[in-house]
DNA sequence: AGGCGCGTTAC
RNA sequence: GUUGUAACGCGCCU
């Protein structure tokens, strides 16, 4: 049997050459692809969450994989409907989720790996959502070099995941995947429907939010849009080699040179300062146009250098394309055209602006901010985050942390703060987080004080020390140290995170590599030996949600399986059927 | 070098 | 009990 890596590499090659692929369905008979899929899915939170049946990752086995393959050979695979749940979105609205049963997730992941190997080399440079080695930061870094942009067009597609047209999606797939059986399998999956309150509902459009292959299907669908933007729209709205220079600017330059020749450095300098106030190019130049594009899932942003009327026309053309070719609705109200110099566009939680002239001079005396793009953390983000640590306008303690020890309280605050700063590391106004830092520190000290019935000052005195910050400076901080026998102490630190933003960096394009190789878990499963009793029959894997769950209840006698799992720090234990049943019955006689 | 666990974010 | 795909950061363990 060919290895998963070989299969996927062959498909990847076809993808690079943009050649169609055939006999794809047969690849689903390869056991290794399922082991790959299992290894990829088992660490997920949802692996232990039930769909419409009781089946979860717990009890996974080679036999289960082989049964799935048998059913696929007979072309009798039945997708189960997804379980419908709702989660709250940030803006208060609800997002419908479709949670597939475990087996469906595994098969979806196998299919996803095949689709990824094939389509990943073909996807656009400008698409960043749900893709390996890409993310929000790579999308934002792309925007950073859109110098001279006059208009932003923020794209918004209404209810994208739920409105993807099945027929069009299948047509797109069938163009490259010449295999009726594979396409039918995808089609059946799309039509599997969902259960809400025990009632079956059909899915006439859309991909399930929560489905393993949904993100890549969403990307394959909008890849059509990327291609059209790049091959039709951008060429249409690109004109001229470079922008005409600004006559006024040139006049001043000539003047400065003349003054310098005459030796009047002082007046020359005055003119240089004057010149900084105006752009070096003619921003109204109708013979110069540039259009740039970036997409993250269904969210896209265009930067346009040209007239407002053209920007409006671009928006209209996009709306028409989406409706006519992809049967998608571009939200007319939410798709905004903003003036880059005076308003901020919103994208991926950042504010994007074009900087006005003359507000920044770099160390070499050059004008750095001539229409350059600024990425900013929105004031509202800071405000909202501060509120989380406040009550009635003042910093306050956190009730839900009062039971924790000092170490984890400090650790929690630091992790929250660090995560947020890390996300906004590209923002020029990153230093605004110093306000949040202050509120959080006060809240932290109040939590400690409340817990120990003590005062803020006493707590501060207790833990105050210094550390080397991420930018190398010695700065004050708070530290809780936990000494351990024969080991170096554990340290939780509050502070030491520098608020210097990351300057624009060259985006390095890491080449996509197919997912392959055997993980530790797969090796253990393939060993086919019960890790409790040594039996070699009916081997399956016992899974737990979290390691922390192991030491929850204070049992008098800790079962052997718990001992092994916590000693090895593994959420999995390869066992025989008998031992697995014993574990679930709480019957520890066999396993202890 | 790999597993596990915490945090942030996007959609 | 809240799913999925990703990205980033930190830490621990063997």
């Amino acid at each position: 049997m060919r290895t998963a890596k070989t299969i996927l590499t062959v498909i990847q090659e076809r993808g690079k050459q943009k050649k169609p692929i055939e006999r794809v369905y047969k690849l689903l008979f390869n056991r290794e692809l399922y082991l790959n899929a299992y290894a990829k899915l088992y660490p997920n939170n949802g692996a232990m969450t039930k769909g419409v049946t009781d089946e979860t990752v717990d009890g996974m086995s080679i036999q289960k994989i082989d049964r799935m393959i048998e059913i696929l050979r007979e072309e009798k695979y039945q997708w189960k409907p997804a379980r419908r749940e709702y989660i709250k979105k940030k803006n208060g609205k609800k997002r419908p989720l479709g949670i597939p049963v475990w087996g469906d997730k595994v098969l979806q992941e196998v299919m996803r790996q095949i689709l990824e190997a094939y389509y990943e080399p073909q996807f656009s440079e400008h698409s960043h959502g749900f893709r390996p080695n890409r993310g929000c930061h790579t999308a934002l870094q792309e925007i950073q070099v859109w110098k001279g942009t006059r208009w932003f067009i923020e794209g918004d597609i209404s209810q994208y995941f739920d409105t993807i047209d099945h027929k069009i999606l299948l047509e797109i797939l069938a163009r490259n995947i010449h295999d009726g059986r594979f396409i039918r399998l995808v089609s059946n999956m799309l039509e599997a429907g969902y259960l809400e309150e025990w009632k079956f509902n059909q899915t006439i459009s859309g991909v399930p939010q929560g489905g393993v292959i949904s993100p890549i299907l969403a990307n394959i669908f909008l890849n059509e849009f990327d291609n059209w933007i790049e091959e039709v729209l951008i060429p249409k709205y690109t004109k001229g080699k470079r922008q005409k220079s600004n006559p006024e600017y040139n006049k001043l330059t000539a003047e400065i040179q003349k003054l310098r020749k005459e030796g009047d450095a002082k007046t020359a300098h005055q003119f240089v300062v004057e010149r900084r106030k105006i752009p070096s190019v003619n921003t109204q130049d109708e013979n110069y146009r540039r259009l740039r594009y970036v997409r993250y899932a269904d969210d896209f942003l265009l930067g346009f250098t040209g007239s407002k009327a053209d920007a409006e026309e671009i928006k209209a053309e996009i709306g028409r394309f989406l409706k006519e070719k992809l049967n998608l609705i571009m939200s007319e109200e939410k798709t905004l055209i903003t003036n880059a110099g005076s308003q901020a566009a919103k994208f991926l939680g950042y504010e994007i602006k074009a900087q006005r002239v003359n507000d920044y001079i770099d160390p070499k005396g050059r004008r750095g901010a001539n229409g350059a793009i600024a990425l900013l953390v929105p004031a509202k983000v800071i405000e909202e985050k501060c509120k989380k640590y406040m009550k009635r306008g003042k910093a306050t303690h956190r009730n839900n942390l009062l039971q924790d020890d000092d170490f984890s309280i400090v650790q929690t605050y630091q992790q929250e703060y660090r995560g947020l700063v890390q996300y906004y590391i590209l923002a020029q106004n990153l230093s605004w987080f110093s306000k949040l830092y202050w509120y959080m520190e006060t809240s932290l000290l109040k939590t400690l004080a409340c817990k120990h019935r003590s005062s803020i000052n006493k707590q501060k005195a207790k833990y105050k020390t210094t550390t080397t910050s991420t930018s190398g400076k010695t700065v004050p901080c708070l530290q809780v140290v936990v000494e351990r026998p024969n080991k170096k102490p554990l340290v939780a630190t509050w502070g030491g995170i520098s608020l210097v933003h990351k300057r624009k960096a060259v985006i390095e394009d890491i080449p996509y590599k197919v997912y392959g190789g055997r993980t530790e878990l797969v090796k253990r499963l393939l060993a086919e030996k019960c890790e409790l009793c040594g039996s070699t029959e009916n081997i399956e894997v016992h899974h737990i949600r979290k390691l922390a769950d192991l030491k929850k209840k204070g049992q008098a006698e800790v079962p052997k399986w718990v001992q092994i799992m916590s000693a090895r720090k593994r959420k999995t234990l390869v066992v025989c059927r008998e031992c697995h049943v014993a574990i679930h019955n709480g019957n520890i006689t066999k396993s202890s």
Side-chain angles (χ1 to χ4, degrees):
Chain A
M1 202 179 333
R2 289 191 296 173
T3 66
K5 206 174 174 183
T6 316
I7 290 172
L8 295 175
T9 308
V10 169
I11 296 206
Q12 192 190 2
E13 282 310 311
R14 297 294 290 183
K16 276 184 194 160
Q17 297 163 22
K18 301 200 181 210
K19 287 187 178 153
I21 42 176
E22 283 153 21
R23 292 186 291 277
V24 181
Y25 188 83
K26 276 190 173 166
L27 302 178
L28 303 176
F29 306 156
N30 184 294
R31 190 196 265 176
E32 257 213 74
L33 283 174
Y34 292 78
L35 291 170
N36 248 352
Y38 171 44
K40 193 92 189 284
L41 294 177
Y42 91 86
N44 294 348
N45 266 321
M48 286 289 283
T49 307
K50 290 179 179 116
V52 293
T53 67
D54 281 346
E55 187 197 22
T56 69
V57 66
D58 189 44
M60 187 61 178
S61 64
I62 295 175
Q63 286 71 35
K64 209 171 227 178
I65 291 173
D66 289 345
R67 271 203 299 280
M68 283 177 77
I69 293 175
E70 267 321 297
I71 293 167
L72 283 160
R73 276 186 200 277
E74 295 165 17
E75 292 179 49
K76 282 182 182 158
Y77 193 86
Q78 291 277 335
W79 297 97
K80 292 265 189 322
R83 179 166 63 90
R84 185 76 129 186
E85 284 293 335
Y86 292 88
I87 52 163
K88 268 204 185 123
K89 284 206 287 187
K90 256 206 173 152
N91 57 17
K93 283 186 185 170
K94 283 185 176 177
R95 182 199 294 274
L97 287 180
I99 304 161
V101 296
W102 168 251
D104 286 0
K105 281 188 189 171
V106 173
L107 183 53
Q108 281 189 30
E109 172 61 18
V110 170
M111 294 162 79
R112 194 192 69 80
Q113 281 179 53
I114 294 169
L115 293 176
E116 185 170 273
Y118 182 69
Y119 283 100
E120 187 55 34
Q122 306 183 35
F123 281 155
S124 160
E125 292 280 277
H126 306 301
S127 160
H128 295 262
F130 314 128
R131 289 184 58 191
N133 305 319
R134 284 158 179 263
C136 305
H137 287 135
T138 53
L140 291 158
Q141 277 170 337
E142 201 176 320
I143 299 168
Q144 276 185 320
V145 297
W146 289 1
K147 208 176 166 186
T149 295
R150 286 183 62 205
W151 306 99
F152 287 118
I153 304 160
E154 294 170 58
D156 186 286
I157 300 168
S158 316
Q159 302 274 313
Y160 176 56
F161 267 65
D162 293 327
T163 58
I164 292 177
D165 189 298
H166 290 173
K167 192 162 161 271
I168 298 173
L169 175 60
L170 293 168
E171 277 167 13
I172 292 167
L173 289 169
R175 262 198 333 247
N176 301 301
I177 300 169
H178 294 178
D179 185 338
R181 288 196 292 176
F182 188 87
I183 301 293
R184 269 201 303 283
L185 189 62
V186 175
S187 171
N188 291 339
M189 187 208 70
L190 294 173
E191 258 130 57
Y194 60 92
L195 285 189
E196 190 169 356
E197 316 240 328
W198 305 102
K199 233 187 96 198
F200 178 79
N201 292 270
Q202 262 194 316
T203 36
I204 42 170
S205 72
V207 294
Q209 302 200 46
V212 175
I213 50 170
S214 300
I216 197 166
L217 291 179
N219 268 342
I220 292 169
F221 199 76
L222 279 188
N223 186 43
E224 303 292 306
F225 180 60
D226 298 340
N227 288 342
W228 174 76
I229 294 260
E230 286 157 33
E231 285 157 21
V232 179
L233 204 67
I234 290 180
K236 185 171 173 188
Y237 287 94
T238 299
K239 204 160 137 191
K241 278 231 164 63
R242 49 179 305 175
Q243 235 162 339
K244 259 193 220 154
S245 51
N246 184 354
E248 261 181 83
Y249 186 92
N250 290 349
K251 223 168 89 189
L252 281 168
T253 306
E255 201 68 35
I256 290 159
Q257 276 167 356
K258 198 176 141 217
L259 284 161
R260 279 191 179 143
K261 235 182 194 172
E262 289 163 1
D264 189 355
K266 212 176 161 192
T267 320
H269 182 71
Q270 275 174 14
F271 274 66
V272 169
V273 173
E274 266 317 292
R275 193 179 60 172
R276 279 175 193 154
K277 291 177 185 163
I278 60 168
S280 64
V281 291
N282 177 4
T283 55
Q284 310 292 320
D285 182 358
E286 282 307 316
N287 292 312
Y288 180 85
R289 289 193 302 208
R290 282 291 180 278
L291 183 60
R292 279 114 165 189
Y293 168 68
V294 69
R295 181 171 71 81
Y296 189 102
D298 58 336
D299 226 5
F300 57 90
L301 185 73
L302 292 116
F304 182 56
T305 308
S307 70
K308 171 104 194 255
D310 279 348
E312 298 278 7
E313 179 53 29
I314 289 166
K315 175 181 164 180
E317 276 193 57
I318 288 172
R320 280 200 296 275
F321 178 88
L322 290 173
K323 182 75 211 123
E324 283 163 21
K325 303 284 179 188
L326 299 176
N327 197 18
L328 291 170
I329 297 162
M330 181 186 81
S331 166
E332 204 63 46
E333 314 90 71
K334 286 190 189 162
T335 300
L336 302 171
I337 298 178
T338 50
N339 182 289
S342 56
Q343 298 154 286
K346 292 218 64 174
F347 191 63
L348 304 180
Y350 274 75
E351 277 180 358
I352 324 274
K353 273 185 185 162
Q355 282 176 323
R356 309 277 221 144
V357 290
N358 96 330
D359 30 0
Y360 174 76
I361 310 294
D362 77 11
K364 286 181 185 162
R366 290 179 308 214
R367 304 190 319 162
N370 187 1
I373 301 296
L375 302 179
L376 303 163
V377 40
K380 209 178 165 193
V381 168
I382 310 258
E383 209 180 292
E384 289 295 316
K385 283 289 158 188
C386 285
K387 270 191 196 158
K388 195 178 153 190
Y389 305 92
M390 287 162 74
K391 215 174 200 173
R392 285 191 286 272
K394 283 169 80 180
T396 183
H397 66 274
R398 291 250 301 270
N399 277 324
N400 56 337
L401 295 178
L402 287 174
Q403 292 108 306
D404 297 354
D405 53 34
D406 291 10
F407 181 88
S408 56
I409 293 173
V410 170
Q411 188 178 246
T412 302
Y413 274 84
Q414 180 79 338
Q415 276 166 337
E416 288 172 357
Y417 182 71
R418 189 201 298 278
L420 197 63
V421 169
Q422 186 49 45
Y423 184 72
Y424 284 104
I425 197 73
L426 299 171
Q428 284 190 8
N429 59 345
L430 187 67
S431 61
W432 287 13
F433 276 114
S434 58
K435 182 182 167 190
L436 176 66
Y437 182 77
W438 186 87
Y439 277 106
M440 283 184 77
E441 179 170 305
T442 311
S443 168
L444 165 60
L445 288 167
K446 281 193 174 174
T447 305
L448 292 172
C450 183
K451 185 186 160 202
H452 298 293
R453 321 230 159 182
S454 159
S455 74
I456 288 183
N457 286 336
K458 276 184 190 157
Q459 293 304 312
K460 196 164 183 175
K462 190 165 155 197
Y463 293 126
K464 203 178 168 185
T465 178
T466 59
T467 187
T468 309
S469 82
T470 45
S471 60
K473 287 183 190 153
T474 303
V475 292
C477 73
L478 303 173
Q479 272 185 346
V480 179
V481 180
V482 179
E483 299 290 346
R484 297 181 299 176
N486 306 324
K487 272 184 186 168
K488 61 173 185 177
L490 289 173
V491 182
T493 307
W494 165 254
I497 295 168
S498 152
L499 291 179
V500 177
H501 77 276
K502 196 174 149 197
R503 295 218 155 258
K504 59 170 173 255
V506 187
I507 318 163
E508 46 190 307
D509 208 2
I510 303 160
Y512 166 74
K513 285 248 167 62
V514 296
Y515 191 78
R518 279 184 186 164
T519 63
E520 187 206 56
L521 174 61
V522 169
K523 282 180 201 154
R524 280 163 59 209
L525 176 59
L526 288 173
E528 296 207 75
K529 195 175 170 196
C530 176
E531 291 171 351
L532 276 179
C533 73
S535 162
T536 54
E537 298 205 355
N538 298 322
I539 297 303
E540 53 190 53
V541 186
H542 175 57
H543 283 256
I544 55 164
R545 213 169 253 276
K546 276 176 166 195
L547 277 175
D549 294 345
L550 284 177
K551 49 183 171 184
K552 256 201 171 150
K553 43 201 168 189
Q555 286 163 295
E557 212 174 322
V558 184
K560 192 180 166 195
W561 65 270
V562 175
Q563 285 176 30
I564 296 177
M565 289 177 90
S566 33
R568 294 200 209 144
K569 304 222 164 171
R570 291 295 179 270
K571 297 196 297 181
T572 54
L573 192 67
V574 176
V575 290
C576 65
R577 181 104 262 265
E578 225 180 313
C579 284
H580 198 196
V581 171
I583 287 170
H584 279 279
N585 291 339
N587 176 2
I588 57 167
T589 42
K590 175 143 197 338
S591 40
S592 62

